[in-house]
Amino acid sequence: MSHRITLIPGDGTGPEIVAATCRAIEATGVEIEWDRREIGLPAIARYGTPFPPEAIESIRTNKVGLKGPLTTELGKGFRSVNVALRREFDLYANLRPAKTYPGVRAPMGNVDLVVVRENIEDLYAGIEFDLGTPELATVRAVIEQAGNTKIREDAAISIKTISEMGSRRIVKFAFEYARANGRKKVTAVHKANVMKFTDGLFLRVAGEVARDYPDIEFEDRIVDNMCMQLVQKPELYDVLVLPNLYGDIVSDLVAGLVGGLGVAPGANIGANGVAVFEAIHGSAPKYAGQNKVNPMALMLAGTLMLRHIGERAAGDRLERAIAAVVAVGKDVTYDLKPNRDDPTAVGTREFADAVITQLAAVHA
Ligand code: NAD
């Protein structure tokens, strides 16, 4: 069966890493019909909007997207396309696996973690009140009265919201992911000792959801302690589930543990089955068109995508092929060489060629 997938090339170095990734995915033998759509800067140039309705409809229909990085500075009047995508499809789960691959310089030994970050709520809901606005004065007055407290007049205010529904679905997502991927433990990360109502709610709901998954161990950690433990003994952890803000910070910490954003894949998954796979890094515009940057993070996102569409064996094979190329360390891009000026570093296309050759060898 052929899979129809929306392909968003992105901008900057996006089109190059997307082309390399598509070739590697196709080399697994899985039949894919790419439905190519522009979003972001290229879409503004062509359609006058960063978010053309045809692209949205394509994602809605195909339900799966592979996306190159998008430059977020779009100019006046346009909001971030990444945020717009998240909102449009209620992409509430941000999935960020982080694994050490031999050959990638990483400060820690053997790390194999999955961070599941809630993507919609928390301090990131955008409920903010700026200094000098009448809204700030209104909100401050209400809070002072309801909370029987005093807020300084020179303070701006951001509101943190965490709901039962939002917490339940993200924790359920983490457990379902753990079960489907042979993971043993889910750790809920919070600061419920201080934020008793919002993080307290998240922790309570996490405990309730955990009771439906007796086959998977459950525990919780306070976020500051979690950060220290991740740096000292990351091997103790498996799947982490976090509200939005802690998830944002901890997922980058964890990416750092395994070698940085250049090798970190991600996925944004929504309530209605829509899933968009991408690299964590940005569009690296200074290298655009130079056949220079590393496509590994997007290729790893491709392995997540293959598993998501039911092509688990192909996803596993692609991951093994990428790992083999990186472990040898010969046909790799500049960022994976011990010395970044190493003249033997290959380009984006040649890295893909090496992965494809490796796939064929594994296949033979
Ligand atoms: P960036 O990740 O694009 O690049 C920072 C630096 O990291 C680059 O100059 C390069 O040295 C290195 N780098 C990044 N990706 C690499 C790769 N694949 N291989 C080798 N080296 C790589 O970060 P930035 O410069 O802060 O962001 C550029 C644009 O991308 C901004 O507009 C930003 O908002 C956007 N962005 C988009 C996404 C997304 O679409 N998901 C994510 C992050 C940033």
Side-chain angles (χ1 to χ4, degrees):
M1 187 191 86
S2 175
H3 305 271
R4 196 170 156 84
I5 288 171
T6 302
L7 185 68
I8 302 154
D11 58 84
T13 51
E16 297 163 62
I17 60 171
V18 163
T21 299
C22 288
R23 284 170 55 220
I25 290 174
E26 285 162 9
T28 64
V30 173
E31 266 183 57
I32 296 197
E33 195 187 327
W34 302 108
D35 184 10
R36 203 183 161 95
R37 303 286 168 170
E38 301 286 6
I39 287 185
L41 277 181
I44 296 178
R46 205 153 152 201
Y47 304 100
T49 163
F51 219 40
E54 305 91 274
I56 299 170
E57 272 324 299
S58 165
I59 298 172
R60 202 183 306 286
T61 309
N62 298 329
K63 290 204 178 304
V64 182
L66 182 68
K67 168 181 160 297
L70 298 168
T71 298
T72 50
E73 295 85 28
L74 298 178
K76 271 202 159 54
F78 295 122
R79 60 181 175 157
S80 157
V81 265
N82 290 316
V83 174
L85 259 183
R86 208 177 293 161
R87 295 252 165 94
E88 177 71 29
F89 294 108
D90 193 18
L91 301 173
Y92 69 92
N94 181 225
L95 179 69
R96 302 253 303 244
K99 192 164 159 180
T100 327
Y101 292 95
V104 176
R105 267 187 321 278
M108 300 302 297
N110 212 5
V111 176
D112 185 3
L113 288 162
V114 177
V115 177
V116 175
R117 164 189 171 192
E118 202 286 325
N119 230 357
I120 306 279
E121 305 196 308
D122 200 349
L123 280 165
Y124 286 21
I127 312 171
E128 295 202 284
F129 302 93
D130 201 2
L131 285 181
T133 60
E135 292 82 8
L136 175 66
T138 309
V139 170
R140 187 174 55 233
V142 170
I143 295 175
E144 285 187 340
Q145 204 204 1
N148 192 23
T149 186
K150 195 89 196 111
I151 298 174
R152 286 182 59 95
E153 290 208 354
D154 58 352
I157 295 178
S158 297
I159 305 282
K160 166 164 167 147
T161 59
I162 291 200
S163 72
E164 287 223 3
M165 184 281 285
S167 303
R168 198 170 298 283
R169 69 178 179 174
I170 195 67
V171 177
K172 200 166 163 12
F173 178 93
F175 274 100
E176 288 292 329
Y177 182 88
R179 195 177 259 176
N181 291 278
R183 298 276 173 169
K184 304 275 178 284
K185 181 166 78 172
V186 171
T187 305
V189 185
H190 60 88
K191 188 81 184 173
N193 53 329
V194 176
M195 273 160 281
K196 294 193 178 3
F197 303 135
T198 46
D199 286 17
L201 181 155
F202 179 80
L203 179 58
R204 169 177 61 77
V205 169
E208 289 168 11
V209 172
R211 286 202 274 283
D212 294 335
Y213 298 86
D215 47 322
I216 293 164
E217 195 187 329
F218 172 70
E219 63 180 11
D220 71 276
R221 290 282 180 277
I222 293 174
V223 63
D224 39 348
N225 176 249
M226 182 82 252
C227 289
M228 188 180 66
Q229 298 228 5
L230 282 172
V231 173
Q232 291 191 327
K233 33 191 171 182
E235 67 284 354
L236 294 186
Y237 298 94
D238 194 348
V239 176
L240 311 179
V241 61
L242 310 91
N244 207 341
L245 176 63
Y246 311 142
D248 191 12
I249 298 165
V250 170
S251 55
D252 268 27
L253 169 77
V254 166
L257 292 180
V258 298
L261 299 182
V263 297
N268 292 300
I269 299 169
N272 39 13
V274 172
V276 179
F277 297 83
E278 63 181 352
I280 301 306
H281 62 73
S283 51
K286 72 176 176 193
Y287 294 132
Q290 294 179 27
N291 187 39
K292 183 169 172 91
V293 297
N294 186 1
M296 176 173 172
L298 192 66
M299 283 187 185
L300 288 174
T303 69
L304 299 177
M305 187 192 82
L306 285 167
R307 293 179 189 121
H308 177 85
I309 61 174
E311 302 284 359
R312 180 167 286 274
D316 291 349
R317 275 200 305 121
L318 178 55
E319 186 181 357
R320 281 201 300 276
I322 298 165
V325 170
V326 168
V328 174
K330 183 174 149 288
D331 297 315
V332 295
T333 45
Y334 76 99
D335 55 308
L336 295 181
K337 292 284 186 185
N339 172 2
R340 288 186 155 229
D341 301 321
D342 189 331
T344 68
V346 302
T348 313
R349 278 194 296 275
E350 292 71 27
F351 181 92
D353 292 341
V355 170
I356 291 165
T357 305
Q358 190 62 39
L359 264 173
V362 174
H363 215 33

